[in-house]
Amino acid sequence: MSLQGRNILLGVTGGIAAYKTPEIVRLLMAEGAEVRVVLTRAAGEFVAPKTLEVLSRHAVYSDLFGRDAEFPVLHVGLAEWADLILVAPATAHCLGRIAGGLADDLLTSVLLCAGVPVLLAPSMEENMFANPAVEANVQTLAQRGFHLLEPGVGPLASGAVGRGRMPEPAELVEAVAAHFSGDLDGLKLLVTAGPTVEDLDPVRFISNRSSGKMGYALAERAAARGARVWLVSGPTALPAPAGVERQLVRSTRDMQRAVETLFEQVDGAILAAAPADYRAKEVAEQKIKRGAASSSIELVENPDIAAGLGQCKGQRLLVVFAMETEKGPERAREKLVRKGGDLIVLNMLNDEGAGFAGDTNRVTLIDVEGQEEALPLLSKSAVADRILDWVRARRGV
């Protein structure tokens, strides 16, 4: 892990966990990062600005209207300086202000200007985190592309034990490093995304609601983390992620041919596409007219791409997806075995924030050894990182 040459802006808000921020600064700098700190007024009640100033070797910023020789317009200059912004702790009040698009202090003004990744580390009492207003703010922020780090379970400021602890400083630094480090260097990955299309005639076709966003997020994050990525995509309006070799296909059989050819040269495959299970037995050469003598279309099964790879994967990793509307874990476990996968990512279509087309997802990871991890509602980019973390741990890269 190295953050050499990276500019990290640390935003500190008014929660008791602010007392840990000097250690965050120290660890970030130990990894080579340049660190500057923005302190809210309430945060100053929990941690001394002078401590953070000495550790970061820079002035600590808190005044929206403060003058600075380096940054004439302070909130704009700090936003442009940063390669990544970490807000830790992120209180319930802070999350609400960011979700509301407010800019009533320096930190929120910087965040409105920022075009870089923003990591939020929520920290509050369990009942506050479970409050519907806070949950709605978290969902809004995830949809806008903020990366929300899962709070820990343990002793809280009130003396209760529950969910709401800010992740420990070392975990936060690891999360920051994951956005820059080549922790997947040398890994070759195949990713599939989007729907497939099965023609009925020159005008009509069978398809599904998949937007491709989950698969594209996986390809983008894998490439950003150093992997060489081949993306096989069905029809979608999404642009090709930077640094990814994309191959566009149309039908399930087109996707099967592309995937089987590429699978021979990769270390693993993540099959996030939603290929059509059926196709027309015969495709009409001309448009089928209304009132035709027969209104039925005979369908035949398409090949099962995942099961085919599962039979020949050898030492390669195979991650498959399951979209279910009922009996999710039971059906996902059965599908994992049937397809010969190593990990299955279960989506429950009826879960709020999950499903097609959105920018968030709520999934459960189930591996072949029976381990299950239900993730909270996260951006699809954050879900991609959690899946890639699993791949990284399993491959030992």
Side-chain angles (χ1 to χ4, degrees):
M1 178 173 67
S2 174
L3 292 170
Q4 194 66 44
R6 299 295 185 179
N7 295 335
I8 308 301
L9 184 67
L10 174 62
V12 185
T13 70
I16 185 62
Y19 82 88
K20 298 180 180 181
T21 53
E23 180 66 1
I24 298 173
V25 173
R26 189 189 70 79
L27 291 175
L28 286 169
M29 294 186 66
E31 294 300 329
E34 186 85 2
V35 181
R36 296 179 189 248
V37 180
V38 172
L39 206 66
T40 67
R41 181 177 57 80
E45 299 292 326
F46 295 96
V47 61
K50 181 59 72 175
T51 302
L52 296 169
E53 182 179 309
V54 170
L55 288 171
S56 69
R57 301 172 195 157
H58 288 290
V60 169
Y61 306 96
S62 57
D63 183 2
L64 175 59
F65 302 105
R67 299 188 64 80
D68 185 271
E70 186 178 0
F71 305 121
V73 182
L74 189 55
H75 62 289
V76 175
L78 287 171
E80 292 177 345
W81 172 86
D83 294 318
L84 179 142
I85 300 172
L86 169 65
V87 181
T91 61
H93 182 61
C94 165
L95 295 177
R97 289 161 62 225
I98 301 170
L102 301 181
D104 57 352
D105 69 358
L106 180 57
L107 180 59
T108 51
S109 297
V110 168
L111 291 172
L112 278 184
C113 290
V116 297
V118 178
L119 275 60
L120 303 173
S123 175
M124 65 198 75
E125 291 291 318
E126 182 171 39
N127 289 341
M128 295 177 73
F129 196 66
N131 186 284
V134 176
E135 289 186 335
N137 288 333
V138 166
Q139 183 171 341
T140 295
L141 292 167
Q143 289 171 341
R144 291 179 187 163
F146 288 84
H147 303 275
L148 285 108
L149 306 175
E150 178 67 9
V153 176
L156 304 174
S158 66
V161 175
R163 179 170 174 242
R165 285 175 63 87
M166 185 179 79
E168 293 303 313
E171 297 176 70
L172 293 174
V173 174
E174 243 183 62
V176 170
H179 280 264
F180 301 112
S181 68
D183 63 346
L184 299 181
D185 276 350
L187 192 68
K188 299 175 182 177
L189 282 178
L190 166 64
V191 178
T192 67
T196 60
V197 168
E198 302 294 345
D199 292 324
L200 301 177
D201 63 19
V203 176
R204 304 175 182 89
F205 56 81
I206 301 170
S207 189
N208 58 59
R209 303 177 194 272
S210 174
S211 66
K213 287 185 175 181
M214 189 67 249
Y216 274 63
L218 279 158
E220 180 179 17
R221 289 302 305 143
R225 292 172 62 169
R228 183 177 179 188
V229 182
W230 288 266
L231 173 63
V232 177
S233 172
T236 174
L238 299 172
V244 169
E245 299 176 48
R246 183 174 68 165
Q247 183 173 345
L248 298 175
V249 297
R250 181 173 174 81
S251 71
T252 296
R253 287 179 292 175
D254 292 340
M255 182 171 284
Q256 180 194 29
R257 285 188 287 269
V259 163
E260 289 181 350
T261 298
L262 290 169
F263 193 57
E264 298 176 1
Q265 64 194 55
V266 298
D267 301 305
I270 305 177
L271 305 184
D277 293 327
Y278 294 90
R279 68 180 187 275
K281 185 176 182 179
E282 295 184 5
V283 178
E285 293 184 2
Q286 305 298 329
K287 178 183 174 183
I288 301 170
K289 300 297 184 183
R290 182 191 296 271
S294 172
S295 59
S296 64
I297 297 172
E298 186 176 356
L299 300 178
V300 295
E301 278 196 22
N302 268 322
D304 187 327
I305 297 173
L309 298 187
Q311 291 175 2
C312 65
K313 68 186 182 71
Q315 298 301 309
R316 287 165 289 200
L317 286 179
L318 181 61
V319 178
V320 297
F321 277 63
M323 172 69 79
E324 301 292 347
T325 56
E326 58 179 351
K327 299 180 180 178
E330 176 186 338
R331 291 183 173 176
R333 286 190 290 269
E334 182 276 328
K335 184 175 183 179
L336 179 63
V337 173
R338 174 165 47 86
K339 293 182 181 290
D342 298 289
L343 177 75
I344 191 162
V345 182
L346 169 63
N347 295 263
M348 292 301 294
L349 183 59
N350 298 325
D351 284 352
E352 186 176 354
F356 299 112
D359 294 318
T360 62
N361 214 345
R362 190 190 300 272
V363 306
T364 299
L365 308 182
I366 304 173
D367 69 23
V368 72
E369 293 162 357
Q371 300 294 316
E372 295 188 20
E373 182 182 8
L375 301 184
L377 183 68
L378 297 168
S379 68
K380 287 185 174 176
S381 181
V383 171
D385 272 322
R386 297 293 283 270
I387 295 168
L388 293 167
D389 289 344
W390 183 91
V391 170
R392 178 179 179 273
R394 182 57 63 94
R395 289 291 303 181
V397 296

